């Protein structure tokens, strides 16, 4: 398959400055959110879910859907999924695009380090006590946003609307159902979306020209 940049790719690269400004704003939301949490004890709206987090009880079919979304982020399932996606993208789009898939899920490593540094939030400690685990940002949301965000872009650029819609549904569904499952606070989810999207945009801006074998600088006249 030809590795030439597609029109949507070129449009993004012509507007790389705006894309990187958006990336910076999204990335800045994460520490701002954390500062608010540490200053006020919780982010806006988190406290209203205190009783739910203590005793989550989603009814069917929401409980089943939440379980499916949780399973998607299971390390074994996620590793297998990434391997399959990488193989398919590598075969149909080219090796460079396959590398972008691996780069996209690098967001998970960044998030793991971030969670280890930040530790559990005050509300997480209040609910789970000594058993509280690092919860901010949501790893599931970061993972699905970075991987499916990249695949959604590939699909949209190539006119594959069903795949684009499926990836978008996975992204939009993961966050709310992590809250429904009692696994994360809304602030964890919002920060996960911000971090995952910022990472994906960065991968696209830097990686698309390399994957397509094109010059890194795309001007309006290209």
């Amino acid at each position: 398959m030809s590795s030439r940049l597609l029109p949507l790719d070129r449009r993004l690269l012509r507007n790389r400055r705006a894309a990187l400004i958006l990336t910076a704003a999204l990335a800045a939301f994460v520490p701002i959110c954390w500062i608010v949490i540490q200053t006020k004890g919780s982010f806006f709206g988190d406290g209203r879910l205190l009783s739910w987090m203590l005793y989550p009880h989603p009814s069917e079919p929401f409980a089943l859907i939440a379980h499916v979304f949780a399973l998607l982020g299971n390390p074994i399932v996620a590793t297998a999924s990434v391997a399959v996606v990488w193989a398919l993208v590598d075969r149909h789009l080219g090796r460079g695009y396959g590398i972008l898939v691996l780069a996209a899920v690098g967001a998970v490593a960044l998030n793991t380090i971030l969670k280890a540094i930040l530790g559990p939030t005050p509300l997480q400690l209040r609910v789970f006590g000594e058993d509280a685990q690092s919860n901010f940002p949501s790893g599931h949301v970061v993972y699905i946003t970075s991987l499916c965000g990249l695949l959604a872009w590939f699909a949209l650029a190539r006119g594959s609307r069903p795949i684009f819609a499926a990836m978008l549904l996975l992204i939009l569904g993961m966050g709310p159902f992590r809250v429904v499952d009692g696994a994360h606070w809304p602030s964890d989810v919002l920060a996960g979306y911000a971090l995952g999207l910022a990472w994906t945009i960065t991968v696209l801006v830097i990686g698309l020209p390399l994957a397509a074998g094109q010059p890194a600088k795309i001007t309006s006249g290209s």
Side-chain angles (χ1 to χ4, degrees), residues 113-125:
I113 295 172
L114 189 60
K115 289 175 72 172
I117 294 172
L118 298 178
T121 59
L123 276 181
Q124 189 80 352
L125 287 168

Side-chain angles (χ1 to χ4, degrees), residues 41-63:
S42 64
F43 198 67
F44 309 108
D46 283 352
R48 297 181 179 181
L49 293 177
L50 186 59
S51 61
W52 177 266
M53 294 294 286
L54 282 166
Y55 305 105
H57 50 278
S59 58
E60 297 296 348
F62 299 108

Side-chain angles (χ1 to χ4, degrees), residues 122-138:
L123 276 181
Q124 189 80 352
L125 287 168
R126 180 177 172 183
V127 172
F128 299 104
E130 295 181 354
D131 295 327
Q133 298 182 351
S134 300
N135 57 292
F136 180 93
S138 166

Side-chain angles (χ1 to χ4, degrees), residues 54-183:
L54 282 166
Y55 305 105
H57 50 278
S59 58
E60 297 296 348
F62 299 108
L64 176 60
I65 298 174
H67 177 72
V68 171
F69 274 104
L71 188 61
L72 289 176
N74 176 277
I76 296 176
V77 175
T79 300
S81 300
V82 171
V84 171
V85 168
W86 168 81
L88 290 173
V89 171
D90 182 84
R91 177 179 179 181
H92 294 286
L93 300 186
R95 180 168 299 178
Y97 292 95
I99 293 175
L100 294 191
V101 170
L102 302 180
V105 295
V108 176
L110 173 63
N111 188 66
T112 300
I113 295 172
L114 189 60
K115 289 175 72 172
I117 294 172
L118 298 178
T121 59
L123 276 181
Q124 189 80 352
L125 287 168
R126 180 177 172 183
V127 172
F128 299 104
E130 295 181 354
D131 295 327
Q133 298 182 351
S134 300
N135 57 292
F136 180 93
S138 166
H140 278 63
V141 174
V142 169
Y143 159 68
I144 212 73
T145 302
S146 57
L147 177 62
C148 292
L150 183 76
L151 297 179
W153 182 271
F154 288 168
L156 185 63
R158 289 157 181 79
S160 181
R161 293 184 179 180
I163 295 178
F164 172 75
M167 295 301 102
L168 199 60
L169 284 174
L170 286 174
I171 294 171
L172 295 177
M174 178 61 83
F177 277 104
R178 294 304 285 158
V179 176
V180 167
D181 204 27

